[in-house]
Amino acid sequence: MTDKDKIFIERWSKTKEKGKLSFMLRVGVLWGIITAILTQLFKLDHMSFEELFLSKMFLIKLFVFLLAGVFGFALILWVLSEKKYIKLKSAKGH
């Protein structure tokens, strides 16, 4: 087992202690905010800052990305990390 794997096991153990919901909210909300802002930045050349970030359309987009981040991205990341954790823990026992 590599040092990287040992670090992952240690960090994921701490993450698991905080709980799935906490992880999904932290990761999903962060992903949603960053993604919503980045997608708007591509339109900055033909729209003003106010039109991009202080509009009803941006709030709708932000809400959609927050939902996608929490119930999509973060949930998938949790499942994949759990699988990796279980696999590494079982390999460590051998």
Side-chain angles (χ1 to χ4, degrees), residues 21-87:
L21 182 61
S22 172
F23 173 82
M24 288 175 61
L25 289 174
R26 280 185 297 112
V27 172
V29 167
L30 183 62
W31 182 88
I33 291 170
I34 290 170
T35 304
I37 291 171
L38 287 177
T39 59
Q40 292 297 92
L41 289 177
F42 289 110
K43 300 176 188 175
L44 200 53
D45 59 336
H46 25 290
M47 295 175 87
S48 71
F49 180 86
E50 187 175 322
E51 290 172 311
L52 285 176
F53 297 107
L54 302 176
S55 66
K56 183 179 178 182
M57 189 50 111
F58 175 71
L59 292 177
I60 292 168
K61 182 182 269 191
L62 178 61
F63 181 72
V64 169
F65 277 116
L66 288 172
L67 287 177
V70 172
F71 296 107
F73 179 74
L75 183 58
I76 290 169
L77 190 57
W78 176 274
V79 169
L80 293 175
S81 295
E82 268 297 285
K83 285 183 179 183
K84 180 178 179 180
Y85 177 79
I86 290 166
K87 180 180 175 185

Side-chain angles (χ1 to χ4, degrees), residues 6-20 22-23 26 78 82 85 89:
K6 291 175 187 174
I7 291 169
F8 172 81
I9 289 172
E10 183 180 321
R11 287 186 181 162
W12 190 249
S13 293
K14 291 177 184 175
T15 299
K16 286 174 54 125
E17 286 176 12
K18 294 177 186 174
K20 187 177 185 178
S22 172
F23 173 82
R26 280 185 297 112
W78 176 274
E82 268 297 285
Y85 177 79
K89 287 288 280 188

